[in-house]
PDB file of all heavy atoms in Angstrom:
ATOM      1  N   VAL A   1      20.346 -20.660 -13.457  1.00  0.00           N
ATOM      2  CA  VAL A   1      21.173 -21.588 -12.680  1.00  0.00           C
ATOM      3  C   VAL A   1      20.891 -21.416 -11.197  1.00  0.00           C
ATOM      4  O   VAL A   1      20.422 -22.334 -10.521  1.00  0.00           O
ATOM      5  CB  VAL A   1      22.672 -21.386 -12.987  1.00  0.00           C
ATOM      6  CG1 VAL A   1      23.514 -22.292 -12.090  1.00  0.00           C
ATOM      7  CG2 VAL A   1      22.961 -21.670 -14.450  1.00  0.00           C
ATOM      8  N   PHE A   2      21.132 -20.200 -10.658  1.00  0.00           N
ATOM      9  CA  PHE A   2      20.940 -20.029  -9.216  1.00  0.00           C
ATOM     10  C   PHE A   2      19.461 -20.057  -8.829  1.00  0.00           C
ATOM     11  O   PHE A   2      19.110 -20.422  -7.706  1.00  0.00           O
ATOM     12  CB  PHE A   2      21.622 -18.755  -8.701  1.00  0.00           C
ATOM     13  CG  PHE A   2      20.948 -17.458  -9.048  1.00  0.00           C
ATOM     14  CD1 PHE A   2      19.835 -17.007  -8.346  1.00  0.00           C
ATOM     15  CD2 PHE A   2      21.433 -16.657 -10.075  1.00  0.00           C
ATOM     16  CE1 PHE A   2      19.226 -15.804  -8.655  1.00  0.00           C
ATOM     17  CE2 PHE A   2      20.821 -15.452 -10.394  1.00  0.00           C
ATOM     18  CZ  PHE A   2      19.706 -15.023  -9.681  1.00  0.00           C
ATOM     19  N   GLY A   3      18.572 -19.703  -9.775  1.00  0.00           N
ATOM     20  CA  GLY A   3      17.144 -19.697  -9.471  1.00  0.00           C
ATOM     21  C   GLY A   3      16.602 -21.068  -9.107  1.00  0.00           C
ATOM     22  O   GLY A   3      15.649 -21.189  -8.333  1.00  0.00           O
ATOM     23  N   LYS A   4      17.232 -22.132  -9.632  1.00  0.00           N
ATOM     24  CA  LYS A   4      16.786 -23.494  -9.331  1.00  0.00           C
ATOM     25  C   LYS A   4      17.133 -23.912  -7.906  1.00  0.00           C
ATOM     26  O   LYS A   4      16.574 -24.883  -7.388  1.00  0.00           O
ATOM     27  CB  LYS A   4      17.438 -24.482 -10.297  1.00  0.00           C
ATOM     28  CG  LYS A   4      17.062 -24.296 -11.755  1.00  0.00           C
ATOM     29  CD  LYS A   4      17.861 -25.277 -12.604  1.00  0.00           C
ATOM     30  CE  LYS A   4      17.677 -25.022 -14.088  1.00  0.00           C
ATOM     31  NZ  LYS A   4      18.526 -25.904 -14.909  1.00  0.00           N
ATOM     32  N   ARG A   5      18.090 -23.219  -7.282  1.00  0.00           N
ATOM     33  CA  ARG A   5      18.552 -23.611  -5.957  1.00  0.00           C
ATOM     34  C   ARG A   5      17.994 -22.711  -4.868  1.00  0.00           C
ATOM     35  O   ARG A   5      18.385 -22.813  -3.709  1.00  0.00           O
ATOM     36  CB  ARG A   5      20.085 -23.610  -5.883  1.00  0.00           C
ATOM     37  CG  ARG A   5      20.813 -24.492  -6.880  1.00  0.00           C
ATOM     38  CD  ARG A   5      20.179 -25.807  -7.211  1.00  0.00           C
ATOM     39  NE  ARG A   5      19.734 -26.639  -6.100  1.00  0.00           N
ATOM     40  CZ  ARG A   5      18.933 -27.669  -6.230  1.00  0.00           C
ATOM     41  NH1 ARG A   5      18.436 -28.018  -7.393  1.00  0.00           N
ATOM     42  NH2 ARG A   5      18.586 -28.377  -5.167  1.00  0.00           N
ATOM     43  N   LEU A   6      17.073 -21.822  -5.209  1.00  0.00           N
ATOM     44  CA  LEU A   6      16.404 -21.010  -4.203  1.00  0.00           C
ATOM     45  C   LEU A   6      15.246 -21.813  -3.620  1.00  0.00           C
ATOM     46  O   LEU A   6      14.496 -22.452  -4.344  1.00  0.00           O
ATOM     47  CB  LEU A   6      15.861 -19.714  -4.824  1.00  0.00           C
ATOM     48  CG  LEU A   6      16.865 -18.816  -5.549  1.00  0.00           C
ATOM     49  CD1 LEU A   6      16.154 -17.595  -6.125  1.00  0.00           C
ATOM     50  CD2 LEU A   6      17.995 -18.390  -4.631  1.00  0.00           C
ATOM     51  N   SER A   7      15.119 -21.782  -2.311  1.00  0.00           N
ATOM     52  CA  SER A   7      13.985 -22.447  -1.683  1.00  0.00           C
ATOM     53  C   SER A   7      13.406 -21.513  -0.631  1.00  0.00           C
ATOM     54  O   SER A   7      14.000 -20.486  -0.298  1.00  0.00           O
ATOM     55  CB  SER A   7      14.409 -23.780  -1.045  1.00  0.00           C
ATOM     56  OG  SER A   7      15.336 -23.558   0.004  1.00  0.00           O
ATOM     57  N   PHE A   8      12.251 -21.882  -0.108  1.00  0.00           N
ATOM     58  CA  PHE A   8      11.537 -21.022   0.835  1.00  0.00           C
ATOM     59  C   PHE A   8      11.154 -21.807   2.084  1.00  0.00           C
ATOM     60  O   PHE A   8      11.140 -23.040   2.081  1.00  0.00           O
ATOM     61  CB  PHE A   8      10.291 -20.423   0.171  1.00  0.00           C
ATOM     62  CG  PHE A   8      10.609 -19.388  -0.870  1.00  0.00           C
ATOM     63  CD1 PHE A   8      10.990 -19.763  -2.150  1.00  0.00           C
ATOM     64  CD2 PHE A   8      10.568 -18.034  -0.556  1.00  0.00           C
ATOM     65  CE1 PHE A   8      11.311 -18.813  -3.105  1.00  0.00           C
ATOM     66  CE2 PHE A   8      10.889 -17.079  -1.503  1.00  0.00           C
ATOM     67  CZ  PHE A   8      11.259 -17.463  -2.774  1.00  0.00           C
ATOM     68  N   PHE A   9      10.835 -21.077   3.123  1.00  0.00           N
ATOM     69  CA  PHE A   9      10.501 -21.671   4.420  1.00  0.00           C
ATOM     70  C   PHE A   9       9.314 -20.895   4.986  1.00  0.00           C
ATOM     71  O   PHE A   9       9.429 -19.716   5.313  1.00  0.00           O
ATOM     72  CB  PHE A   9      11.727 -21.558   5.326  1.00  0.00           C
ATOM     73  CG  PHE A   9      11.544 -22.049   6.736  1.00  0.00           C
ATOM     74  CD1 PHE A   9      10.540 -22.951   7.082  1.00  0.00           C
ATOM     75  CD2 PHE A   9      12.411 -21.623   7.734  1.00  0.00           C
ATOM     76  CE1 PHE A   9      10.393 -23.394   8.389  1.00  0.00           C
ATOM     77  CE2 PHE A   9      12.274 -22.070   9.047  1.00  0.00           C
ATOM     78  CZ  PHE A   9      11.275 -22.953   9.368  1.00  0.00           C
ATOM     79  N   PHE A  10       8.164 -21.567   5.056  1.00  0.00           N
ATOM     80  CA  PHE A  10       6.951 -20.903   5.510  1.00  0.00           C
ATOM     81  C   PHE A  10       6.410 -21.538   6.788  1.00  0.00           C
ATOM     82  O   PHE A  10       6.766 -22.643   7.168  1.00  0.00           O
ATOM     83  CB  PHE A  10       5.878 -20.960   4.421  1.00  0.00           C
ATOM     84  CG  PHE A  10       6.175 -20.086   3.228  1.00  0.00           C
ATOM     85  CD1 PHE A  10       6.273 -20.633   1.954  1.00  0.00           C
ATOM     86  CD2 PHE A  10       6.359 -18.719   3.372  1.00  0.00           C
ATOM     87  CE1 PHE A  10       6.545 -19.844   0.852  1.00  0.00           C
ATOM     88  CE2 PHE A  10       6.631 -17.912   2.276  1.00  0.00           C
ATOM     89  CZ  PHE A  10       6.722 -18.472   1.013  1.00  0.00           C
ATOM     90  N   ASN A  11       5.517 -20.796   7.420  1.00  0.00           N
ATOM     91  CA  ASN A  11       4.852 -21.200   8.645  1.00  0.00           C
ATOM     92  C   ASN A  11       3.492 -21.796   8.300  1.00  0.00           C
ATOM     93  O   ASN A  11       2.869 -21.385   7.323  1.00  0.00           O
ATOM     94  CB  ASN A  11       4.658 -19.956   9.526  1.00  0.00           C
ATOM     95  CG  ASN A  11       4.633 -20.255  11.002  1.00  0.00           C
ATOM     96  OD1 ASN A  11       3.952 -21.170  11.435  1.00  0.00           O
ATOM     97  ND2 ASN A  11       5.359 -19.463  11.773  1.00  0.00           N
ATOM     98  N   ALA A  12       3.040 -22.737   9.090  1.00  0.00           N
ATOM     99  CA  ALA A  12       1.662 -23.227   8.967  1.00  0.00           C
ATOM    100  C   ALA A  12       0.950 -22.935  10.277  1.00  0.00           C
ATOM    101  O   ALA A  12       1.354 -23.420  11.334  1.00  0.00           O
ATOM    102  CB  ALA A  12       1.632 -24.720   8.668  1.00  0.00           C
ATOM    103  N   HIS A  13      -0.104 -22.118  10.208  1.00  0.00           N
ATOM    104  CA  HIS A  13      -0.874 -21.741  11.392  1.00  0.00           C
ATOM    105  C   HIS A  13      -2.206 -22.476  11.418  1.00  0.00           C
ATOM    106  O   HIS A  13      -2.456 -23.376  10.610  1.00  0.00           O
ATOM    107  CB  HIS A  13      -1.062 -20.224  11.425  1.00  0.00           C
ATOM    108  CG  HIS A  13       0.021 -19.517  12.175  1.00  0.00           C
ATOM    109  ND1 HIS A  13      -0.231 -18.508  13.068  1.00  0.00           N
ATOM    110  CD2 HIS A  13       1.363 -19.680  12.163  1.00  0.00           C
ATOM    111  CE1 HIS A  13       0.916 -18.075  13.575  1.00  0.00           C
ATOM    112  NE2 HIS A  13       1.896 -18.770  13.036  1.00  0.00           N
ATOM    113  N   ASN A  14      -3.078 -22.084  12.333  1.00  0.00           N
ATOM    114  CA  ASN A  14      -4.284 -22.872  12.606  1.00  0.00           C
ATOM    115  C   ASN A  14      -5.443 -22.648  11.641  1.00  0.00           C
ATOM    116  O   ASN A  14      -6.305 -23.512  11.517  1.00  0.00           O
ATOM    117  CB  ASN A  14      -4.772 -22.584  14.032  1.00  0.00           C
ATOM    118  CG  ASN A  14      -3.875 -23.208  15.081  1.00  0.00           C
ATOM    119  OD1 ASN A  14      -3.251 -24.230  14.835  1.00  0.00           O
ATOM    120  ND2 ASN A  14      -3.796 -22.581  16.248  1.00  0.00           N
ATOM    121  N   ASN A  15      -5.499 -21.478  10.994  1.00  0.00           N
ATOM    122  CA  ASN A  15      -6.588 -21.227  10.051  1.00  0.00           C
ATOM    123  C   ASN A  15      -6.273 -21.993   8.768  1.00  0.00           C
ATOM    124  O   ASN A  15      -5.681 -21.468   7.825  1.00  0.00           O
ATOM    125  CB  ASN A  15      -6.734 -19.729   9.783  1.00  0.00           C
ATOM    126  CG  ASN A  15      -7.988 -19.396   8.999  1.00  0.00           C
ATOM    127  OD1 ASN A  15      -8.488 -20.219   8.220  1.00  0.00           O
ATOM    128  ND2 ASN A  15      -8.510 -18.195   9.192  1.00  0.00           N
ATOM    129  N   MET A  16      -6.679 -23.239   8.742  1.00  0.00           N
ATOM    130  CA  MET A  16      -6.180 -24.182   7.746  1.00  0.00           C
ATOM    131  C   MET A  16      -6.430 -23.724   6.310  1.00  0.00           C
ATOM    132  O   MET A  16      -5.535 -23.776   5.461  1.00  0.00           O
ATOM    133  CB  MET A  16      -6.807 -25.563   7.963  1.00  0.00           C
ATOM    134  CG  MET A  16      -6.212 -26.642   7.074  1.00  0.00           C
ATOM    135  SD  MET A  16      -6.912 -28.264   7.374  1.00  0.00           S
ATOM    136  CE  MET A  16      -8.460 -28.156   6.510  1.00  0.00           C
ATOM    137  N   LEU A  17      -7.638 -23.264   6.014  1.00  0.00           N
ATOM    138  CA  LEU A  17      -7.956 -22.931   4.622  1.00  0.00           C
ATOM    139  C   LEU A  17      -7.256 -21.651   4.186  1.00  0.00           C
ATOM    140  O   LEU A  17      -6.849 -21.529   3.024  1.00  0.00           O
ATOM    141  CB  LEU A  17      -9.467 -22.834   4.448  1.00  0.00           C
ATOM    142  CG  LEU A  17     -10.221 -24.151   4.719  1.00  0.00           C
ATOM    143  CD1 LEU A  17     -11.716 -23.958   4.524  1.00  0.00           C
ATOM    144  CD2 LEU A  17      -9.708 -25.273   3.820  1.00  0.00           C
ATOM    145  N   GLU A  18      -7.093 -20.691   5.102  1.00  0.00           N
ATOM    146  CA  GLU A  18      -6.308 -19.499   4.756  1.00  0.00           C
ATOM    147  C   GLU A  18      -4.857 -19.891   4.465  1.00  0.00           C
ATOM    148  O   GLU A  18      -4.233 -19.356   3.538  1.00  0.00           O
ATOM    149  CB  GLU A  18      -6.345 -18.469   5.893  1.00  0.00           C
ATOM    150  CG  GLU A  18      -5.560 -17.193   5.540  1.00  0.00           C
ATOM    151  CD  GLU A  18      -5.451 -16.202   6.684  1.00  0.00           C
ATOM    152  OE1 GLU A  18      -5.395 -16.631   7.854  1.00  0.00           O
ATOM    153  OE2 GLU A  18      -5.406 -14.994   6.411  1.00  0.00           O
ATOM    154  N   GLU A  19      -4.322 -20.831   5.239  1.00  0.00           N
ATOM    155  CA  GLU A  19      -2.935 -21.252   5.031  1.00  0.00           C
ATOM    156  C   GLU A  19      -2.769 -21.953   3.678  1.00  0.00           C
ATOM    157  O   GLU A  19      -1.805 -21.712   2.956  1.00  0.00           O
ATOM    158  CB  GLU A  19      -2.493 -22.175   6.164  1.00  0.00           C
ATOM    159  CG  GLU A  19      -2.408 -21.498   7.510  1.00  0.00           C
ATOM    160  CD  GLU A  19      -1.384 -20.376   7.530  1.00  0.00           C
ATOM    161  OE1 GLU A  19      -0.175 -20.657   7.459  1.00  0.00           O
ATOM    162  OE2 GLU A  19      -1.785 -19.205   7.620  1.00  0.00           O
ATOM    163  N   VAL A  20      -3.716 -22.813   3.329  1.00  0.00           N
ATOM    164  CA  VAL A  20      -3.653 -23.476   2.009  1.00  0.00           C
ATOM    165  C   VAL A  20      -3.667 -22.423   0.900  1.00  0.00           C
ATOM    166  O   VAL A  20      -2.873 -22.482  -0.044  1.00  0.00           O
ATOM    167  CB  VAL A  20      -4.833 -24.455   1.842  1.00  0.00           C
ATOM    168  CG1 VAL A  20      -4.897 -24.985   0.408  1.00  0.00           C
ATOM    169  CG2 VAL A  20      -4.711 -25.615   2.824  1.00  0.00           C
ATOM    170  N   ALA A  21      -4.546 -21.452   1.012  1.00  0.00           N
ATOM    171  CA  ALA A  21      -4.635 -20.389   0.009  1.00  0.00           C
ATOM    172  C   ALA A  21      -3.348 -19.571  -0.040  1.00  0.00           C
ATOM    173  O   ALA A  21      -2.904 -19.154  -1.125  1.00  0.00           O
ATOM    174  CB  ALA A  21      -5.829 -19.487   0.315  1.00  0.00           C
ATOM    175  N   LYS A  22      -2.741 -19.341   1.111  1.00  0.00           N
ATOM    176  CA  LYS A  22      -1.482 -18.595   1.179  1.00  0.00           C
ATOM    177  C   LYS A  22      -0.392 -19.291   0.368  1.00  0.00           C
ATOM    178  O   LYS A  22       0.325 -18.656  -0.414  1.00  0.00           O
ATOM    179  CB  LYS A  22      -1.045 -18.468   2.645  1.00  0.00           C
ATOM    180  CG  LYS A  22       0.293 -17.788   2.865  1.00  0.00           C
ATOM    181  CD  LYS A  22       0.751 -17.922   4.315  1.00  0.00           C
ATOM    182  CE  LYS A  22       1.275 -19.316   4.600  1.00  0.00           C
ATOM    183  NZ  LYS A  22       1.775 -19.458   5.990  1.00  0.00           N
ATOM    184  N   PHE A  23      -0.257 -20.597   0.548  1.00  0.00           N
ATOM    185  CA  PHE A  23       0.767 -21.346  -0.176  1.00  0.00           C
ATOM    186  C   PHE A  23       0.512 -21.309  -1.688  1.00  0.00           C
ATOM    187  O   PHE A  23       1.442 -21.154  -2.489  1.00  0.00           O
ATOM    188  CB  PHE A  23       0.813 -22.798   0.304  1.00  0.00           C
ATOM    189  CG  PHE A  23       1.200 -22.962   1.751  1.00  0.00           C
ATOM    190  CD1 PHE A  23       0.479 -23.816   2.585  1.00  0.00           C
ATOM    191  CD2 PHE A  23       2.269 -22.268   2.299  1.00  0.00           C
ATOM    192  CE1 PHE A  23       0.827 -23.978   3.914  1.00  0.00           C
ATOM    193  CE2 PHE A  23       2.627 -22.426   3.630  1.00  0.00           C
ATOM    194  CZ  PHE A  23       1.900 -23.277   4.449  1.00  0.00           C
ATOM    195  N   ARG A  24      -0.747 -21.430  -2.083  1.00  0.00           N
ATOM    196  CA  ARG A  24      -1.091 -21.412  -3.510  1.00  0.00           C
ATOM    197  C   ARG A  24      -0.774 -20.045  -4.114  1.00  0.00           C
ATOM    198  O   ARG A  24      -0.205 -19.940  -5.209  1.00  0.00           O
ATOM    199  CB  ARG A  24      -2.581 -21.758  -3.704  1.00  0.00           C
ATOM    200  CG  ARG A  24      -2.950 -23.141  -3.187  1.00  0.00           C
ATOM    201  CD  ARG A  24      -4.455 -23.400  -3.213  1.00  0.00           C
ATOM    202  NE  ARG A  24      -4.866 -23.980  -4.495  1.00  0.00           N
ATOM    203  CZ  ARG A  24      -5.657 -23.415  -5.366  1.00  0.00           C
ATOM    204  NH1 ARG A  24      -6.143 -22.193  -5.130  1.00  0.00           N
ATOM    205  NH2 ARG A  24      -5.981 -24.025  -6.484  1.00  0.00           N
ATOM    206  N   ALA A  25      -1.133 -18.977  -3.388  1.00  0.00           N
ATOM    207  CA  ALA A  25      -0.878 -17.619  -3.885  1.00  0.00           C
ATOM    208  C   ALA A  25       0.619 -17.343  -3.980  1.00  0.00           C
ATOM    209  O   ALA A  25       1.090 -16.710  -4.941  1.00  0.00           O
ATOM    210  CB  ALA A  25      -1.540 -16.596  -2.958  1.00  0.00           C
ATOM    211  N   ALA A  26       1.389 -17.814  -3.008  1.00  0.00           N
ATOM    212  CA  ALA A  26       2.841 -17.576  -3.008  1.00  0.00           C
ATOM    213  C   ALA A  26       3.500 -18.187  -4.237  1.00  0.00           C
ATOM    214  O   ALA A  26       4.377 -17.568  -4.859  1.00  0.00           O
ATOM    215  CB  ALA A  26       3.462 -18.144  -1.733  1.00  0.00           C
TER     216      ALA A  26
END
């Protein structure tokens, strides 16, 4: 129940491909 209402807030920096990979890994 509570797990469905958890959300996250991440940063997007300039190293674009590292950032894309970061989101996928998370």
Side-chain angles (χ1 to χ4, degrees):
V1 176
F2 74 79
K4 297 176 188 176
R5 303 323 312 166
L6 304 179
S7 64
F8 289 80
F9 177 22
F10 289 122
N11 209 313
H13 269 224
N14 288 331
N15 190 332
M16 187 178 79
L17 297 180
E18 182 186 32
E19 293 298 291
V20 171
K22 176 190 76 178
F23 297 134
R24 299 172 89 245

